[in-house]
Amino acid sequence: MNREEAWALLTEYNQEPFHLQHAKTVAAVMKWFAQKLGYAEEAEFWELVGLLHDLDFEKYPEQHCQKTAEILRERGMDESFIHAIVSHGYGMVSEVAPEHVMEKVLFAVDELTGLIGAAALMRPSKSVSDMELKSLKKKFKDKSFAAGCSREVIQTGANMLNWSLDELLETTLNAMKETEEIIAM
Ligand SMILES: [Fe+2]
């Protein structure tokens, strides 16, 4: 499956702008991390996993992850692709733990990109471009801000990667700064 086909599949199951935006953000950030972490040849794979990770969430929230696995199997997708997607629900809706570094990154950035995106919307610029790590850390600590973005999941993701929380916040903020224009397209 190429990006165009993945996008067609995504929009077959998702129409809400918020969901499409989240998919595009996680896709771009995953691709950025692939390049950053020495997985440039797998960048498209990381990107497509990011794009489709919440494929089922708009229409089948009760069957989150399982329904995506079903849809992707019907389309003949590779089991490694399905494993990656299902593992982002680990500890919540899935028993499949992230193993590959790509899966750990997905687990860590899924909620965090939501938090950073929400923080950006509070800024006069409506952008991450002028956001400092210090202000992101404040938003992270303020549990009433974007309460739907689980701080626990973000912390667990950092632990899985053996990164400090600050390292994860800073790198993901950089990823979003460098991909903001691509995501807006
Ligand atoms: Fe997600």
Side-chain angles (χ1 to χ4, degrees):
M1 193 182 289
N2 60 32
R3 197 184 190 285
E4 213 171 295
E5 291 161 339
W7 180 257
L9 177 60
L10 179 71
T11 51
E12 189 181 323
Y13 286 90
N14 291 266
Q15 280 80 45
E16 283 179 36
F18 182 82
H19 291 151
L20 295 174
Q21 181 68 20
H22 175 64
K24 281 165 75 176
T25 303
V26 176
V29 166
M30 289 296 289
K31 185 181 179 185
W32 184 94
F33 267 102
Q35 282 150 354
K36 173 89 179 165
L37 300 175
Y39 295 88
E41 331 79 78
E42 293 176 25
E44 185 168 80
F45 188 69
W46 288 47
E47 181 186 12
L48 296 194
V49 166
L51 195 66
L52 295 177
H53 79 283
D54 279 339
L55 178 67
D56 58 12
F57 197 64
E58 188 171 312
K59 289 198 169 51
Y60 307 94
E62 305 300 317
Q63 300 169 68
H64 186 36
C65 291
Q66 300 318 316
K67 190 68 189 179
T68 299
E70 205 180 296
I71 295 165
L72 293 177
R73 259 184 209 116
E74 272 170 22
R75 312 230 169 188
M77 287 301 281
D78 202 81
E79 281 304 316
S80 63
F81 194 95
I82 294 167
H83 188 280
I85 287 180
V86 170
S87 72
H88 95 274
Y90 180 59
M92 294 161 282
V93 294
S94 154
E95 312 270 282
V96 178
E99 288 163 20
H100 187 283
V101 59
M102 175 257 284
E103 300 175 336
K104 296 174 184 175
V105 171
L106 175 64
F107 189 91
V109 304
D110 183 19
E111 301 279 310
L112 178 53
T113 54
L115 177 69
I116 296 172
L121 288 179
M122 303 294 293
R123 307 176 70 74
S125 64
K126 303 269 183 260
S127 164
V128 291
S129 58
D130 56 353
M131 191 188 297
E132 287 178 21
L133 177 61
K134 201 172 66 180
S135 102
L136 174 58
K137 281 163 77 172
K138 229 181 263 169
K139 296 284 188 219
F140 183 91
K141 283 194 196 118
D142 176 5
K143 300 281 154 69
S144 64
F145 177 77
C149 301
S150 168
R151 287 9 179 220
E152 204 185 318
V153 166
I154 296 169
Q155 180 67 63
T156 304
N159 297 348
M160 284 175 183
L161 287 160
N162 281 319
W163 296 351
S164 69
L165 179 63
D166 278 9
E167 203 177 346
L168 174 64
L169 296 183
E170 187 172 21
T171 318
T172 308
L173 180 57
N174 283 338
M176 286 185 73
K177 285 181 181 180
E178 288 181 25
T179 56
E180 191 167 51
E181 278 178 34
I182 303 167
I183 294 165
M185 288 195 310

